[in-house]
Amino acid sequence: MKNLAITINYWAKSTALILGLSAMVSCDGFLEENVVSQIGNDYLNTPKGLNDGVNAAYSSMRAWYGSERGNNLTIFGTDIFTNGADGSWKFMNFYTNQFDSQNGHVREVWDEFYRGINTCNAVIDRAPNVTGLSEEVILQRVAEAKFIRAHHYFILVQLFGAVDLQLEETILPTNVVTRSSVSEVYAAIIQDLEEAIPNLEAKAKSDNYGRATRPAAEHLLGRVYITKATSEAGEATDYAKAEPLLQSVINNYGLILLPEFGDVHAFGNEINDEVIWSVQYTRDPLNNQQTNTTANPVFNEGNNAHVFFLMEYDVQPGMQRDTENGRPFKRYKSTDYTLNTIFADRVNDSRYKNTYVDHFLSNRPGEYNTTFDKSKETVTFAQGDTTIWLPGYNMSEAERAQYPYQVLTPELYTERLFPPMKKHMDPGRVDRTQFEGGRDYIAMRLADTYLLLAESQFRQGKIGDATESINAVRRRAAFPGKEAEMEISESDLTFEFITEERARELIGEQTRWLDLKRWGILVERVKAHNPQGAAGIQEFHNLRPIPQNQIDRAEGNAGAFPQNPGY
């Protein structure tokens, strides 16, 4: 398929920056992209233009899912991950005063999401005037735009609180902006999703894979209600409203929990029956870009989650960097709380085994001096021999000496050497240094639906129902034959158990910071379990700083668009 050279320019009220549009077209049942440039303002009024506009809005999801900014804003500064050795963003885990309104990640998320929102606004406003498409298709495209707009505002309101609420296309630059209340933002999100649900495809997978479907919107709206419930906009009925939406996702679309937990994120299995909706990437670096503006560079980075969770294996005896084991950024290191409490059960629960890499095989044969395991002076490897074993528990030096390879036990963990997480590993990259991963990012999956359902039921006092919802996830997570041992009783189900179960199941999937924030326990949990973040975190860190460039370009500056307290 040839790439077209087409671009549409729009002005976003809150960003006052040119939007670049990259168009995805259907090919073999998937959304695929062509680069779009140099076309006129009337293009969106055509059938192809409307489709391309919706597809361009989808591409703004890449500013969040699988990106460095999306991961840093949800993984760092939590109870289950702290910083590894490398990277210039450690201050986001430390909560130092470097994390301020000049932060590039918050600026990029803000700008990219508002560009995506304005594209959605244009699609929604112009769709009634488009001829040459069936009413059904037009309604579906508008529903998709409302799903994307609701998604973006949902992330923004969680990160920043009150934000600028724009529900109409902004064609000309303007600097008149205000911060709408959290209640107003949630009302707009809910209205968008309620209006979108009836017109989205009522199936687990769209005919053009990657498009939003009815179960995706129901899952999102269920999460919106559960999050809203503990916000300043919360209402007593929020949990009750979430429950039937989440039940519908589980019961009505043929989605299933895969029999093996390890298969959910297995490389090459990104399209599976547990996935509700994913953000698509490709192996073509040109088509992984999110925007093309004169003010900002192209974000041409692909799904980069594969680099952040890995340890420094590549300088150890018998090893060199390769595509299979990944490019180790050493960015995120699991906390002791994660390893010792969250994953305490490794006899019945398969999730520790299927979440972490526990051994490395030699790709650089030879004889070497040992590095971290001094129970032996040298080690010798043939191709494919075990070079490093991570048993997950401590043993004496004499015990380690019995093995012909280095044994990395918890007492030897450092910011460079620690259990690497394998959920996002991408051996399909073209070479061992490539940063731009090509795997789709699984943004919504059925296990999360079950856990959200359990939470909504628990909050309503439906303990028996909540217990069964959680047990569905736990039975799937069991080693074969251990299903009964994995089940909990009603007396076992506490709020703390729910927080830990979400960590076990969803670790590394860009949920934890948002969970801790909505539960109101971010500060206490970081202080309790993340030593690097404990000293710096304060209550005002429950919100991120408004980007300074947004305040500066607003008419009246901080007087009209005030910064969040503490920044």
Side-chain angles (χ1 to χ4, degrees), residues 239-240 243-244 246-247 250-251 449-473 475 488-491 493 498:
Y239 293 115
E243 184 177 4
L246 300 167
Q247 286 279 20
I250 292 167
N251 296 334
T449 313
Y450 272 103
L451 294 176
L452 291 170
L453 174 63
E455 189 174 340
S456 72
Q457 293 165 331
F458 178 83
R459 295 288 196 176
Q460 296 176 77
K462 299 179 178 181
I463 306 303
D465 292 341
T467 302
E468 180 49 39
S469 296
I470 277 194
N471 278 338
V473 175
R475 283 191 295 269
I488 63 169
S489 65
E490 293 183 24
S491 62
L493 186 60
I498 290 173

Side-chain angles (χ1 to χ4, degrees), residues 60-67 69-74 105-106 108-114 117 146-165 179 182 185-186 188-190 192-193 219-221 223-225 227-228 277 279 441 443-444 448 509-515 517-518 542-547 564:
S60 63
M61 293 286 184
R62 293 173 178 160
W64 184 251
Y65 292 105
S67 72
R69 63 193 73 85
N71 276 282
N72 279 350
L73 285 164
T74 54
H105 283 346
V106 295
E108 290 163 5
V109 169
W110 183 282
D111 288 350
E112 292 306 301
F113 272 10
Y114 273 109
I117 287 166
K146 289 184 176 181
F147 170 88
I148 297 166
R149 184 170 71 180
H151 171 276
H152 287 6
Y153 273 122
F154 183 45
I155 297 297
L156 290 170
V157 76
Q158 291 175 90
L159 294 178
F160 303 107
V163 294
D164 185 32
L165 185 61
R179 295 187 67 177
V182 169
V185 177
Y186 270 110
I189 294 167
I190 291 167
D192 268 353
L193 291 172
H219 173 96
L220 179 58
L221 183 53
R223 185 176 179 105
V224 166
Y225 275 123
T227 305
K228 174 176 173 285
W277 182 68
V279 175
Y441 192 95
M444 302 177 189
D448 189 16
E509 297 183 41
Q510 293 192 206
T511 61
R512 192 60 175 182
W513 191 92
L514 300 173
D515 281 345
K517 183 260 176 72
R518 71 183 171 87
N542 279 286
L543 292 176
R544 305 306 200 177
I546 301 293
N564 282 329

Side-chain angles (χ1 to χ4, degrees), residues 79-128:
D79 54 349
I80 60 176
F81 279 107
T82 188
N83 59 275
D86 290 354
S88 58
W89 298 94
K90 293 179 185 177
F91 63 85
M92 295 179 70
N93 183 54
F94 297 156
Y95 290 98
T96 69
N97 58 13
Q98 285 180 274
F99 195 172
D100 60 17
S101 61
Q102 301 291 346
N103 182 283
H105 283 346
V106 295
R107 180 179 66 249
E108 290 163 5
V109 169
W110 183 282
D111 288 350
E112 292 306 301
F113 272 10
Y114 273 109
R115 269 189 281 272
I117 287 166
N118 198 54
T119 303
C120 292
N121 291 345
V123 167
I124 294 165
D125 290 351
R126 297 187 187 208

Side-chain angles (χ1 to χ4, degrees), residues 64 134 136 158 174 233 331 368 472 485 519 565:
W64 184 251
S134 69
E136 180 183 5
Q158 291 175 90
T174 177
R331 178 69 58 83
Y368 301 89
E485 288 83 351
W519 290 327

